[in-house]
Amino acid sequence: MTVALEAHIEELRRELNCCDPAERAQIQAELEQAYAELEVIVAELEGRVSSEPPF
């Protein structure tokens, strides 16, 4: 999953470099969401957070 997410991040970064101003905010928001998802996955793999519910 992380490989696909990292590929998606790279694609968004490339799009961000050559997009028109109208699309820039949307692509930036998608990029920030993808970075956040990747951070959660990495934190779970490293044991910093648990993916199980607290109850």
Side-chain angles (χ1 to χ4, degrees):
M1 170 135 175
T2 59
V3 173
L5 188 54
E6 289 171 342
H8 183 64
I9 288 171
E10 286 303 314
E11 179 182 338
L12 289 171
R13 290 178 65 192
R14 283 192 302 271
E15 287 181 24
L16 195 61
N17 289 332
C18 60
C19 69
D20 60 52
E23 293 178 310
R24 188 167 187 78
Q26 179 183 358
I27 294 172
Q28 183 66 40
E30 289 181 39
L31 185 58
E32 289 173 8
Q33 179 67 34
Y35 276 130
E37 290 176 21
L38 183 60
E39 179 61 29
V40 169
I41 291 170
V42 170
E44 288 175 349
L45 291 173
E46 292 177 349
R48 291 185 280 143
V49 296
S50 174
S51 60
E52 296 188 22
F55 47 87

